[in-house]
Amino acid sequence: VTPSPAATFATRLVRAFAALGVQHAIVSPGSRSQALALALAAIEAEGRITLHVRIDERDAGFTALGIARESGRPALVVTTSGTAVANLVPAVVEASHSGLPMIVLAADRPARLRGTGSNQTTWQPGLFGRFVRAEADVEAPLPGVIPDARALAAEAFAATAGGADGIAAGPVHLNLQFVEPLSGEVEAEGDPVVAETAAAGGAEAEGASRPGVEWRHPLVPSFAPAPPVGLHLERGHRTVVIAGADAGEKANEFALAAGWPLLAEVSSGARFGPNLVVLYRELLAHPDFGGRVERAVVFGHPTLSREVPALLARDDVETVVVRGAGEPVLPHPGAVVVDEVTADPEVRSDRAARAWVGQWVFASRELLEADADEVAAPLTGSGAPDDLAGARDFARAELAALRAPISRRALALAVWRATWPHDRLVLGASRLIRELDAVASGKKIPVHANRGLAGIDGTVATAVGIALASQTAPLAASEAGSSASRVRAGTTRVLLGDVTLLHDVGGLLMGSGEARPRIQLVVGNDGGGTIFDSLEVAGTADRDAFDRVLFTPHRVGIAALAAAYGWEHRLVTGRGDLDSALASPPGGPSILEVPLPR
Ligand SMILES: Cc1ncc(C[n+]2csc(CCOP(=O)(O)OP(=O)(O)O)c2C)c(N)n1
């Protein structure tokens, strides 16, 4: 084994990231990236990082996204050169829009080979366009000239966390050129080059952590730096608080303190509390409610209704947008974007103000009760021992309720009921998240959904990342404990459509011998993408053409798919079995398939 500058640099780099607090790394196999992959395997053996192996880089990227969603910390994603890096684009773009950290370590061949037709070589720098907060093209480590790994890691770690000048967290791309020998012996710490850089301390100019490193800081215009702005709102305007995706609890606290109705989407993290208006869509469309709104305060990224964008587009509604993790929402040219918002506290004696919030909450409750689940609860018999007819009716009604087919709404509500604060709920894009948003009552549970761009891609891998991060205690807290003590309770339940599952079949594949988290994919199988049935085109287009290119029918056997990937599978067709199947999922990965009518 010869000493390898590549191995030395890779080892220093991954150690530096672990020292900064990175807990998870995802590796996809490849030759050019071997030094990074082997270095990670070595530090995992020392208990300093948790390593996950994914063959498909798309899934590696979304697994990292899920880990960041759940933990708030970046994971490392290691790929080889060429199309391998390009496969990270979907996860990187979603992470950018959602304001989530992620550190891409993309191996590359030397820069001089770009544009020469050299195998597996392309222009990797710039590949992620404006969707990375920072990008460095790093020349290959050579004997005696090894890039300063600690400085690189520190700069990447700071850039992915955002924060400076109001820039949101987001992905970072370290493009790492390597030449042969691509792996080998690791040189001891304290070699002359590292010592020399350390002695220079922080005196080096920004962008020159080492010769041979070129930093670029692309910017999404909407993330442009801006000085922090605060705003105080006075009482007296009929105001609603809107909580879109990832709004978080602060939206709830604000609505409560100010005494205003809270219109919180199911993926907002704020859907609970006394001011919650569950049927906000119906009320926004009503002239006595939506029609009377004068001011809206927006947290997070509203994506689930048509009524919220319609409200925010109105000239007679003053809109205040509170910046959060993701890309700021700019629904109207007159909208005011702030970093902090406060309001006069609710005054109990202000009857007009109390009536405003009370009307919204009350009307929503009334409507919800009127629209209760369509299958009635079993009748109660008289209980008299000789009432045979009554007992028979009771038994029949009970049986009918248990055998009743499962509607989309019943499925969504059953999943909501089964989920508790120690669990995680992940919602795929498409109909089921909207169905749940239409009816879910207030409940303080952790909900995740990739609503940055609302893609149906990467849902399984994102959820696996969330499960891995939520079911593993932080490494530092468990140093003394056995691996068993690092396992936390709870199930990650994922509510998704069949097409969304099929888009990310690769997400079912986990590295051999790795932790298999307790995750339950609840698949509403209606044989295609039925969301399009509700669009105008469904009524105007040729039926067969519509089905072929929009509905996209399939006959994939989900049970066989599950078996192929070693996931448990259960098919549930009646309501009687649904609650118990959701309440007691298997200990590892499983799929609960629920056939739904188109
Ligand atoms: C990556 C990506 N490709 C395409 C779409 C467009 N799209 C939105 S929903 C959908 C169909 C989803 O079908 P399914 O998961 O079965 O849910 P259903 O509509 O039946 O509820 C598609 C293709 C998207 N959002 N993201």
Side-chain angles (χ1 to χ4, degrees), residues 98-114:
S98 285
L100 293 172
M102 177 186 296
I103 296 169
V104 174
L105 305 180
D108 200 356
R109 307 181 109 223
R112 67 186 144 77
L113 297 180
R114 292 175 195 152

Side-chain angles (χ1 to χ4, degrees), residues 408 429-432 454-457 496-501 503 524 526 528-532:
R408 229 167 241 101
S430 208
R431 275 180 84 177
L432 285 162
I456 60 165
D457 48 345
L496 75 172
D498 46 308
V499 174
T500 302
L501 169 68
H503 201 298
D526 49 23
T530 54
I531 196 163
F532 303 116

Side-chain angles (χ1 to χ4, degrees), residues 37 52 80 164 208 240 390 424 431 455 527:
H52 315 279
T80 191
V240 292
R424 300 292 180 271
R431 275 180 84 177

Side-chain angles (χ1 to χ4, degrees), residues 268-459:
S268 64
R271 190 156 171 133
F272 55 91
N275 290 18
L276 178 70
V277 180
V278 172
L279 294 195
Y280 69 92
R281 293 191 227 174
E282 285 82 348
L283 294 183
L284 278 177
H286 197 288
D288 290 346
F289 292 87
R292 295 176 66 220
V293 173
E294 293 170 326
R295 183 165 62 190
V297 183
V298 184
F299 293 82
H301 182 201
T303 63
L304 293 177
S305 77
R306 290 185 187 150
E307 290 80 5
V308 166
L311 176 83
L312 301 180
R314 263 164 50 185
D315 290 334
D316 63 335
V317 173
E318 178 194 337
T319 299
V320 177
V321 175
V322 186
R323 283 218 258 189
E327 186 178 31
V329 179
L330 287 171
H332 189 281
V336 181
V337 181
V338 300
D339 297 276
E340 286 291 336
V341 68
T342 50
D344 291 342
E346 180 176 25
V347 178
R348 295 247 149 205
S349 57
D350 182 346
R351 292 179 62 184
R354 300 212 14 104
W356 173 245
V357 59
Q359 280 157 8
W360 280 83
V361 172
F362 184 73
S364 169
R365 284 200 195 136
E366 291 261 286
L367 281 171
L368 202 58
E369 273 164 33
D371 193 29
D373 206 1
E374 62 272 25
V375 175
L379 308 162
T380 317
S382 72
D386 56 349
D387 181 11
L388 290 180
R392 196 188 52 218
D393 287 350
F394 175 77
R396 278 201 189 137
E398 197 170 47
L399 206 61
L402 292 178
R403 283 190 186 152
I406 301 168
S407 66
R408 229 167 241 101
R409 178 154 301 186
L411 174 61
L413 281 175
V415 169
W416 189 249
R417 267 198 308 276
T419 305
W420 295 100
H422 61 284
D423 296 329
R424 300 292 180 271
L425 177 58
V426 182
L427 302 171
S430 208
R431 275 180 84 177
L432 285 162
I433 185 172
R434 288 184 170 76
E435 199 70 47
L436 186 60
D437 189 59
V439 288
S441 52
K443 195 171 183 186
K444 198 172 171 185
I445 49 176
V447 180
H448 291 293
N450 283 338
R451 302 303 298 176
L453 289 175
I456 60 165
D457 48 345
T459 309

Side-chain angles (χ1 to χ4, degrees), residues 98-165:
S98 285
L100 293 172
M102 177 186 296
I103 296 169
V104 174
L105 305 180
D108 200 356
R109 307 181 109 223
R112 67 186 144 77
L113 297 180
R114 292 175 195 152
T116 67
S118 179
N119 182 39
Q120 226 172 306
T121 308
T122 183
W123 286 272
Q124 293 181 192
L127 187 65
F128 299 114
R130 54 176 47 166
F131 300 103
V132 281
R133 302 291 179 268
E135 173 191 275
D137 192 18
V138 183
E139 281 179 14
L142 297 171
V145 192
I146 294 178
D148 185 341
R150 275 187 223 112
L152 269 175
E155 183 139 2
F157 195 78
T160 199
D165 299 328

